[in-house]
Amino acid sequence: MRKLNIFASMAMLVGAFVWVACSSEDSFERANEEEVQDVNTESEIAAYFNDAFDMGQAVDAQGRQQGGANMRIAGSEIDDLRLNCASLTIDLDISESFSPVGDIWIDFGDGCDDGQGNIRKGKIQIEYKGGEFRLEDDNMGMEMYTSMIFHGYEVNDLKIEGRYDQTMIIDEGQVDLLSELIGGKVTWPDGTYATRESDLTVNMVLTNSTDFKSTLTGSALGMTQEGEPYAMVITEGLQVDRNCTMKGNLYPTSGIKTLVVGEKEYIINYGNGQCNNEITITTNGQTKVHTLK
């Protein structure tokens, strides 16, 4: 089965730990089958939602600037290769630029190859609900409210359901996105499924619409495809580099999270800033290496 090359994004923290960085896989043994299954399962669940979330930010950054009533454009006009086979419908009232109202629809039709090795179908709706200015300590900022909703959306025959409710806070050039995933569900072709609910804060440092870095904090919980409960908490902000995501690798480049699956706990470290999918897993006092798929 093809899998997206994307990062995963409470959990019970027990004691303190020290992670010793390494540059060679030979320094640690490989994770065993059970450990790989637990980590891969949560990572894959997170991957499909994080992928859609990331595409939504690319569309928002450029589509909102164009505005218009029932405007149709090709996905290739957006600086994100995953959208090349999609069509976009922009129906936004941007008469007040800080408070857009309306919708942007991303439509992959009955199925198309996104050029990154994934077959996508169905629609993603970004609903704009307006915004407002806010004043705190003599600083003027603004908030904008959106929801992302999936309509028959599938990636590689996996059905993605749920809704992201988002609040974008812009203050003195800093952008924080408060994102809540509600009713997240991934269903495999054999009818098995996994669930996910999450509360994340995404801090973005913007250079332009296609060159920015994000730091994720927050937590998630749900049920794996195998029917085990899981919980995840980010203990050291996960760093995501847009230059990596544009190459199809949406895993964090650094940061640490704790994952609990059933009664098993894993500390997952994404490394020191390299654009790859190598991680270390610490469990039961032992640190091992793993390559996310």
Side-chain angles (χ1 to χ4, degrees):
M1 178 184 71
R2 287 168 296 184
K3 296 183 180 178
L4 294 169
N5 189 20
I6 317 170
F7 74 89
S9 81
M10 51 4 117
M12 297 176 293
L13 298 178
V14 289
F17 68 91
V18 177
W19 177 74
V20 181
C22 69
S23 59
S24 170
E25 290 188 3
D26 295 334
S27 301
F28 295 127
E29 65 178 287
R30 304 297 299 184
N32 64 40
E33 184 176 348
E34 180 182 34
E35 294 161 350
V36 167
Q37 178 176 324
D38 287 340
V39 172
N40 278 351
T41 296
E42 190 272 340
S43 296
E44 184 175 7
I45 297 166
Y48 292 102
F49 291 108
N50 291 329
D51 173 58
F53 176 88
D54 189 75
M55 282 194 300
Q57 299 315 301
V59 170
D60 172 76
Q62 297 172 73
R64 182 160 41 87
Q65 297 176 10
Q66 300 187 38
N70 203 30
M71 178 188 300
R72 297 179 184 274
I73 65 172
S76 56
E77 295 186 33
I78 304 296
D79 291 325
D80 191 313
L81 295 176
R82 293 166 296 177
L83 296 164
N84 279 350
C85 71
S87 62
L88 274 64
T89 301
I90 303 173
D91 193 3
L92 286 179
D93 178 357
I94 56 172
S95 55
E96 296 184 73
S97 59
F98 71 92
S99 184
V101 176
D103 301 281
I104 295 180
W105 289 83
I106 307 170
D107 188 354
F108 293 98
D110 295 330
C112 63
D113 189 330
D114 69 359
Q116 303 297 302
N118 304 296
I119 302 299
R120 302 177 187 269
K121 64 171 61 175
K123 300 179 181 181
I124 299 174
Q125 175 191 8
I126 304 175
E127 179 185 8
Y128 291 81
K129 304 175 181 180
E132 59 185 2
F133 284 110
R134 60 186 183 86
L135 181 64
E136 290 185 7
D137 299 327
D138 296 325
N139 292 324
M140 180 67 75
M142 61 165 287
E143 295 185 357
M144 187 174 66
Y145 312 110
T146 63
S147 290
M148 177 183 288
I149 308 164
F150 304 109
H151 298 270
Y153 178 61
E154 296 184 13
V155 185
N156 300 334
D157 296 322
L158 273 70
K159 184 177 181 180
I160 315 299
E161 301 174 82
R163 183 181 83 248
Y164 273 117
D165 285 344
Q166 302 170 354
T167 299
M168 180 180 288
I169 302 173
I170 303 174
D171 189 0
E172 296 185 339
Q174 177 173 303
V175 179
D176 288 322
L177 190 61
L178 311 181
S179 179
E180 180 182 7
L181 175 62
I182 301 169
K185 184 178 180 181
V186 177
T187 303
W188 277 257
D190 63 3
T192 59
Y193 63 88
T195 63
R196 190 174 185 84
E197 310 271 340
S198 67
D199 280 291
L200 298 175
T201 297
V202 184
N203 172 255
M204 294 183 282
V205 178
L206 303 178
T207 302
N208 56 55
S209 62
T210 60
D211 183 12
F212 58 84
K213 295 183 179 180
S214 303
T215 303
L216 281 70
T217 57
S219 59
L221 54 81
M223 194 75 68
T224 70
Q225 186 183 8
E226 292 75 27
E228 281 197 280
Y230 71 87
M232 182 279 295
V233 65
I234 299 170
T235 56
E236 181 179 304
L238 300 181
Q239 306 292 318
V240 180
D241 189 334
R242 185 68 177 175
N243 289 321
C244 292
T245 66
M246 292 297 289
K247 298 174 184 177
N249 184 351
L250 300 187
Y251 287 111
T253 57
S254 64
I256 300 171
K257 71 181 185 182
T258 296
L259 171 66
V260 176
V261 180
E263 297 181 356
K264 296 160 290 185
E265 182 181 79
Y266 306 96
I267 297 169
I268 301 168
N269 192 310
Y270 286 92
N272 56 6
Q274 296 184 22
C275 186
N276 59 29
N277 55 357
E278 302 298 320
I279 64 172
T280 63
I281 303 169
T282 300
T283 184
N284 295 325
Q286 292 185 314
T287 298
K288 302 178 182 181
V289 295
H290 177 52
T291 302
L292 290 167
K293 302 300 184 182

